[in-house]
Amino acid sequence: CDACMMPESPRDNGPRLGPPEELARGDFEMVIRRLADDLAFGTDTSLFTGSGLEYAQSRPYEPGDPIKQIDWRLTARTQQTYVKEYEALKRTAVYLLIDTSASMAATSIPLSKHDLAVWMASAIGLVAQRRLSPCAVISGGERTTRFQPSLLRSDLWHALEPLRSNEHAEGTNLGERLEELAVRARRASVIVVLSDLHDPTAQPAIRHAAQRHDVIVLQLRDPAERGNLKAGFFRGREAESGTTFIGHGRLQWNTNAGNEPDEAALALARSGASWLRLDTDQPFLSPLRHFLTRRSGTTGGRG
């Protein structure tokens, strides 16, 4: 895991939620409902449901069949042209995989990557349920969560509640949970991964899941991870191991501090997963809505 660092604070003794202020007053559900309304405004009904198709079988090619439906593997093996047939799904399950490990809680500003991940997952889950897609919320850290999707609003809030608090000593199981999810989800589903991708096993797991499922990767980044902090010397603590150190504001929090997509992100895109990086100090609603609208109706890594 790439080293993630956070300044030590004497008041950093428990769970913390960032702005907006409604969250501090306990109005979490009201804020999420407003975010869901804004996220879904002006978009079509297939925003979070993928193509709604699942592979059923292959049959011999007939004149007039679309070339894009050719089953190239079977064609190469049998030396006869086959095309894939799909069946329509009444409901496409949406799995929200939230990274709750320590690196997500490390932050240089009031809003952490963990906070933003919970807000976005909550809004996406609410929109999915409104459009009759059952939704499940899964922790990518060490917390125990259920894998069974549900259309009940109460199940969504119940699943989100234990994930809302920051844990500065939590390990990561993102890759392991994603592999488990890819096996448990029997039908082609929409899998939304919200993480900083510091788990080295996450990217291979994403590429594997994208072979059958529609995978959306929302990579979150703290301002300190893209360049220099405007600060002097500080005492810090490594998020995963708890090791303390003395640092300087000119130091970068990890080695990938550029503003362009790195090779790993490009590899995810080539594997069929949809990828978007969001900075915690920048507005996220408009870029996220544009991204989801642009990819609406695609099959991701399937087919």
Side-chain angles (χ1 to χ4, degrees), residues 5 19 33 46 49 54 85 104 117 137 159 181 220 245 249 257 286:
M5 300 169 285
R33 288 180 184 275
S46 62
T49 57
E54 185 176 54
E85 288 187 332
M104 292 288 286
V137 180
L181 174 58
L220 308 178
F245 62 93
S286 179

Side-chain angles (χ1 to χ4, degrees), residues 4 7 17-18 20 35 47 89 117 131 162 177 217 225 227 253 294:
C4 272
L17 290 173
L35 283 177
L47 187 58
L89 300 179
R131 296 174 178 181
R177 292 285 170 81
V217 180
E225 291 180 296
W253 284 28
R294 188 180 64 225

Side-chain angles (χ1 to χ4, degrees), residues 16 18 104-107 109-117 166 222 280:
R16 178 188 56 78
M104 292 288 286
T107 181
I109 61 175
L111 178 63
S112 70
K113 292 175 287 184
H114 173 271
D115 295 334
L116 185 57
N166 291 337
D222 187 272
T280 56

Side-chain angles (χ1 to χ4, degrees), residues 46-298:
S46 62
L47 187 58
F48 301 114
T49 57
S51 65
L53 299 176
E54 185 176 54
Y55 171 76
Q57 64 180 358
S58 294
R59 60 168 176 79
Y61 174 85
E62 297 179 358
D65 288 336
I67 296 178
K68 65 180 180 179
Q69 292 186 359
I70 293 179
D71 188 337
W72 294 107
R73 293 183 179 179
L74 184 58
T75 298
R77 188 168 64 248
T78 63
Q79 301 301 312
Q80 181 180 355
T81 305
Y82 281 82
V83 294
K84 294 181 178 180
E85 288 187 332
Y86 298 87
E87 62 178 350
L89 300 179
K90 294 182 179 179
R91 294 173 180 172
T92 303
V94 177
Y95 294 90
L96 302 166
L97 185 55
I98 305 175
D99 188 352
T100 56
S101 63
S103 64
M104 292 288 286
T107 181
S108 63
I109 61 175
L111 178 63
S112 70
K113 292 175 287 184
H114 173 271
D115 295 334
L116 185 57
V118 171
W119 297 355
M120 290 194 301
S122 305
I124 292 174
L126 185 55
V127 173
Q129 286 188 336
R130 289 174 178 175
R131 296 174 178 181
L132 299 182
S133 289
C135 182
V137 180
I138 303 169
S139 168
E142 297 176 336
R143 311 181 201 190
T144 302
T145 48
R146 55 179 294 179
F147 282 77
Q148 185 64 36
S150 172
L151 281 171
L152 295 178
R153 195 69 46 81
S154 58
D155 287 345
L156 177 62
W157 301 136
H158 181 74
L160 287 166
E161 187 61 32
L163 305 185
R164 288 175 55 190
S165 62
N166 291 337
E167 297 290 343
H168 294 308
E170 184 172 353
T172 178
N173 291 316
L174 185 65
E176 179 182 342
R177 292 285 170 81
L178 189 54
E179 290 284 4
E180 184 180 0
L181 174 58
V183 173
R184 285 197 180 191
R186 297 181 179 180
R187 289 184 174 271
S189 306
V190 177
I191 300 177
V192 184
V193 180
L194 302 102
S195 171
D196 53 13
L197 299 184
H198 285 187
D199 183 351
T201 67
Q203 293 171 14
I206 291 171
R207 290 194 294 267
H208 178 258
Q211 295 178 8
R212 184 168 182 266
H213 302 280
D214 188 359
V215 180
I216 302 172
V217 180
L218 302 178
Q219 183 179 5
L220 308 178
R221 184 173 63 172
D222 187 272
E225 291 180 296
R226 67 173 184 259
N228 297 332
L229 283 171
K230 296 180 179 178
F233 289 95
F234 62 90
R235 180 184 298 276
R237 176 166 53 89
E238 203 275 330
E240 302 289 350
S241 66
T243 304
T244 59
F245 62 93
I246 300 296
H248 193 276
R250 288 195 298 269
L251 296 177
Q252 298 170 356
W253 284 28
N254 64 24
T255 56
N256 178 35
N259 292 319
E260 297 300 324
D262 55 20
E263 294 183 1
L266 294 176
L268 291 179
R270 287 193 294 267
S271 71
S274 301
W275 173 84
L276 175 67
R277 183 163 60 198
L278 296 167
D279 291 311
T280 56
D281 64 337
Q282 302 294 327
F284 70 91
L285 191 58
S286 179
L288 179 59
R289 181 170 55 218
H290 176 72
F291 166 75
L292 293 172
T293 302
R294 188 180 64 225
R295 64 169 301 283
S296 177
T298 63

